[in-house]
Amino acid sequence: MLLYIFLTLGIAGFLSYHFNPAFGSKNNAKKLREFEESKNFKEGKFYNLVAVDMSMSKREESLFETLRKFYFSDKKARRPQNPLPNLSLDKELYRQEGNDNFLITWLGHSTLLIKSGNKTIITDPVFSKRSSPFGFLGPKRFPYEKEYNIADLPKIDVVLISHDHYDHLDYQSIVDLKGKVEKFYVPFGIGVHLLKWGVAVDKITEFDWYEKSELGKLEFIFTPTRHFSGRGLTDRMKTLWGGWIIQNKDKKVYFGADSSYFGEFKKIGEEFGPFEIAFVESGAYNKSWPDVHMFPAETVQATLDLKAKVLMPIHNSKFDLSLHPWKEPLERVLKEANEKDVTLASPIMGEAFVSNSKIPQKRWWEKLE
């Protein structure tokens, strides 16, 4: 019976991997030869500036024990017990005449709606109910008081993608968005996924680290992070990962997506800073994978390195991706920011604010379970 179950699951997994469009596609030999011009690409894979230990040799416990805790331990503290407070998206606000400042709305995790210079940008749009290639399996989105849908969004000029993990590159969101988007700016290798999902080739621009592109008054710069990529069993490190600088004249914001702490933050700060605001991850960390995600103290230090005036922690409040309580990243990063005299932005999801005006500092999570 067990053999039958394993064989059935194996066949189902094989078929799903090869025929489920959410897994994306693979770059052909011609495309791989183009990547060979990158200093970060060698022998068919991309590499970090500072090596990441993907063997998880730093584990304080076995992989089996970590998985046991993740799937079978008490999850009560890891998910909110009631819907999280959030505001309806003010689409009309994004239709108004813009200026050089940055209008910002956080929609949970790493999804941000940003407007500057009359261009509207969305980062890592994820609107599906699960962070997974499957609709029935994988981390489920936290409950919100109000749902966000693609139909709620204004016209989008640019989609910025940081890397191809499911909590950042969501198949269904891209499919639903593609008709209302002018440009998709993505790391090397990710274009092939978008093409498979029906995005027109002339809408897609792929970037290597430190490559730039201008659109209207805005300049976009793709920067290194210390992380990894992969959507299936055999494609780890086959596409690039990174963060984004959005610049309008002398005003700049930094979107960091996923990264562990490393010295490149200081280089980015010295070369491109200061930033009006830095969106830096605080969430999904664990002592078993310190090379791919930051702990809250590192989040604050990265902000200082970047020379950012304000830190806004992202990568939290949407999915259960580690073993810590859901609101711990916000509590710990607030404590660290206060100790280091770093200004922390903590808007309620859906709340719009302008980067150079009064920064929202609501502790909306404090009384929630």
Side-chain angles (χ1 to χ4, degrees), residues 284-298:
Y285 49 79
N286 189 283
K287 290 181 179 179
S288 290
W289 50 84
D291 281 5
V292 294
H293 285 296
M294 283 185 275
F295 286 85
E298 295 173 316

Side-chain angles (χ1 to χ4, degrees), residues 26-302:
K26 294 182 179 180
N27 287 287
N28 58 31
K30 179 181 177 182
K31 195 69 175 179
L32 292 176
R33 284 195 293 272
E34 292 179 20
F35 298 155
E36 289 174 358
E37 298 177 8
S38 170
K39 296 178 181 179
N40 317 302
F41 188 80
K42 184 173 64 175
E43 297 177 351
K45 292 184 178 182
F46 291 95
Y47 288 84
N48 280 287
L49 297 178
V50 178
V52 163
D53 184 358
M54 298 303 295
S55 70
M56 300 302 183
S57 62
K58 296 184 175 70
R59 288 184 180 276
E60 295 185 352
E61 60 189 14
S62 68
L63 175 60
F64 176 81
E65 179 63 15
T66 301
L67 291 173
R68 185 194 68 78
K69 287 181 179 179
F70 187 80
Y71 287 106
F72 300 108
S73 65
D74 185 5
K75 300 181 182 181
K76 185 176 180 181
R78 287 162 45 191
R79 286 184 62 87
Q81 299 305 296
N82 296 293
L84 297 183
N86 66 329
L87 304 177
S88 297
L89 177 63
D90 189 350
K91 185 162 57 176
E92 293 303 316
L93 191 59
Y94 282 83
R95 288 176 175 168
Q96 296 174 11
E97 186 73 14
N99 54 39
D100 295 345
N101 295 316
F102 290 91
L103 175 66
I104 298 159
T105 305
W106 179 48
L107 300 179
H109 204 61
S110 299
T111 303
L112 296 154
L113 199 62
I114 302 171
K115 182 174 183 177
S116 179
N118 280 326
K119 298 294 184 184
T120 300
I121 303 133
I122 194 166
T123 65
D124 289 354
V126 176
F127 292 86
S128 293
K129 294 188 181 300
R130 293 184 184 273
S131 170
S132 168
F134 311 106
F136 59 91
L137 183 69
K140 191 175 181 180
R141 189 179 66 199
F142 293 170
Y144 295 162
E145 289 180 355
K146 298 176 177 63
E147 291 288 325
Y148 294 127
N149 300 292
I150 301 296
D152 298 327
L153 298 176
K155 176 181 175 295
I156 304 295
D157 294 287
V158 180
V159 172
L160 294 182
I161 299 297
S162 63
H163 62 298
D164 70 1
H165 288 160
Y166 291 98
D167 56 324
H168 297 265
L169 179 62
D170 177 45
Y171 159 69
Q172 193 60 55
S173 295
I174 298 298
V175 169
D176 293 342
L177 260 174
K178 63 186 179 184
K180 61 192 305 179
V181 172
E182 292 297 319
K183 298 288 183 182
F184 288 83
Y185 289 172
V186 303
F188 268 178
I190 287 181
V192 69
H193 298 322
L194 304 190
L195 290 172
K196 181 170 184 175
W197 301 339
V199 178
V201 65
D202 60 351
K203 289 187 175 185
I204 303 168
T205 306
E206 293 187 311
F207 290 73
D208 196 2
W209 286 335
Y210 291 117
E211 286 190 335
K212 305 177 182 181
S213 183
E214 293 184 358
L215 185 67
K217 295 181 179 180
L218 300 184
E219 183 176 49
F220 297 86
I221 306 167
F222 188 54
T223 59
T225 54
R226 188 172 180 238
H227 199 56
F228 68 108
S229 64
R231 293 178 74 79
L233 301 174
T234 61
D235 64 345
R236 180 174 285 180
M237 317 293 263
K238 294 296 181 70
T239 65
L240 194 54
W241 52 92
W244 290 95
I245 294 168
I246 310 170
Q247 181 170 343
N248 189 341
K249 297 179 181 177
D250 61 339
K251 297 180 184 295
K252 310 165 194 174
V253 297
Y254 172 83
F255 170 67
D258 285 8
S259 180
S260 61
Y261 180 77
F262 70 144
E264 200 73 8
F265 289 125
K266 186 165 289 187
K267 176 183 174 181
I268 293 168
E270 291 172 351
E271 185 170 347
F272 300 102
F275 295 97
E276 298 281 310
I277 188 166
F279 308 102
V280 186
E281 68 149 62
S282 181
Y285 49 79
N286 189 283
K287 290 181 179 179
S288 290
W289 50 84
D291 281 5
V292 294
H293 285 296
M294 283 185 275
F295 286 85
E298 295 173 316
T299 299
V300 173
Q301 186 57 54

